[in-house]
Amino acid sequence: MKILIVGANGKMGQMMQEYLKKINCEYFCIDKLNIEDYKNIKCDILLDFSSYLALKQNLKIAKTKKIPIVIGTTNHNEKNYELISKYKKYIPIFLSSNFSIGFNVMLQMLNQLKKIKAYQFVIIEKHHKSKKDCPSGSAKEIEKILLKQDISFNTISLRIGEVVGEHSVFAYGENEIVELKHTAQNKMLFCEGAYNVCKYMLKQPNGYYTMEDFLKSDSL
């Protein structure tokens, strides 16, 4: 598998290069300064760690090269989702704000909280001090699940030191407290997940895919 990393100069792009070197997987790098280089690169899949602002450009690249795209950027708006809906007819598209298997298993567990929706809910998410989006894309995924269950909540976002990522959901009842928590100890966790998703996407037909689809597969 030959991976084309877009946004290679960012933190996740650099970590992904380090991980792929470690496992001896062939990859190529492009960023906004050399974006036109993609035309001369033969690859199997595009891994996007650039920015939500570059989504249209990256979808066009994947369509031109007739390869799947795995998107790991956050802050996507309605216009971007409309683009994904348009391009999924031509290429396989995968989108996730968090490639951790454990975190996404926790998301599935959150669907049971509707049974105690009368409790008081609080989401607490912690990341490193230089993280730009607040709340994080992962925290927003938690919020979506709670909203679908008609659960009211407060979200607290903390930017502290070099915290990789920590997400907790607390449900406070009169006589008990329920806590679901995921802690990422190293960013290589996300690189491993992204790599496994890339392998999974090579086998998929045109369409739109998420971590929920991946967890249902035999790719784990």
Side-chain angles (χ1 to χ4, degrees):
M1 177 172 62
K2 299 178 181 179
I3 300 176
L4 175 61
I5 304 174
V6 181
N9 290 335
K11 286 186 177 180
M12 276 306 303
Q14 292 178 30
M15 289 286 290
M16 198 70 207
Q17 292 178 63
E18 184 180 340
Y19 176 79
L20 294 177
K21 287 177 184 177
K22 183 177 179 181
I23 64 171
N24 294 316
C25 177
E26 189 171 359
Y27 68 91
F28 306 92
C29 298
I30 57 175
D31 216 290
K32 60 183 178 181
L33 297 179
N34 63 334
I35 195 67
E36 289 299 314
D37 288 357
Y38 82 87
K39 296 177 181 178
N40 301 316
I41 296 174
K42 293 183 178 180
C43 54
D44 302 308
I45 192 162
L46 189 156
L47 178 56
D48 177 16
F49 280 130
S50 58
S51 164
Y52 73 97
L53 297 172
L55 179 66
K56 186 174 183 179
Q57 160 199 282
N58 297 333
L59 288 170
K60 284 184 176 180
I61 292 174
K63 182 185 176 185
T64 299
K65 300 188 78 64
K66 299 179 180 179
I67 57 176
I69 180 172
V70 173
I71 305 164
T73 52
T74 59
N75 280 339
H76 294 284
N77 53 28
E78 185 176 343
K79 185 176 180 180
N80 277 12
Y81 283 107
E82 289 175 357
L83 283 171
I84 289 173
S85 182
K86 174 183 175 181
Y87 278 84
K88 71 179 183 180
K89 303 172 186 176
Y90 308 104
I91 54 174
I93 300 173
F94 188 101
L95 173 64
S96 179
S97 61
N98 192 316
F99 288 102
S100 161
I101 302 301
F103 175 80
N104 283 279
V105 169
M106 187 187 79
L107 290 185
Q108 294 184 344
M109 296 169 67
L110 292 175
N111 288 303
Q112 298 298 316
L113 294 179
K114 59 188 175 184
K115 298 174 182 177
I116 55 171
K117 68 178 184 179
Y119 286 23
Q120 182 178 358
F121 285 81
V122 178
I123 301 168
I124 300 179
E125 61 105 353
K126 303 175 185 177
H127 284 88
H128 55 86
K129 60 186 177 183
S130 59
K131 185 171 179 61
K132 295 180 181 179
D133 53 333
C134 185
S136 67
S138 298
K140 289 179 181 178
E141 289 300 313
I142 294 174
E143 291 177 344
K144 287 179 185 177
I145 293 174
L146 297 187
L147 287 171
K148 285 180 181 178
Q149 299 175 80
D150 195 28
I151 292 174
S152 299
F153 58 86
N154 291 314
T155 300
I156 299 172
S157 298
L158 301 175
R159 298 294 175 260
I160 307 171
E162 299 302 320
V163 176
V164 175
E166 183 178 304
H167 297 84
S168 300
V169 180
F170 294 90
Y172 293 90
E174 184 176 350
N175 299 305
E176 64 180 355
I177 300 172
V178 178
E179 178 185 0
L180 288 174
K181 179 179 180 179
H182 178 267
T183 301
Q185 296 179 320
N186 191 302
K187 280 193 175 183
M188 282 298 176
L189 165 73
F190 307 121
C191 296
E192 180 181 15
Y195 173 75
N196 287 328
V197 165
C198 285
K199 290 195 297 181
Y200 162 75
M201 287 301 290
L202 287 179
K203 305 173 185 177
Q204 307 312 312
N206 296 345
Y208 175 57
Y209 302 86
T210 65
M211 284 298 291
E212 186 175 354
D213 300 303
F214 176 71
L215 291 177
K216 291 177 182 177
S217 72
D218 58 358
S219 301
L220 298 178

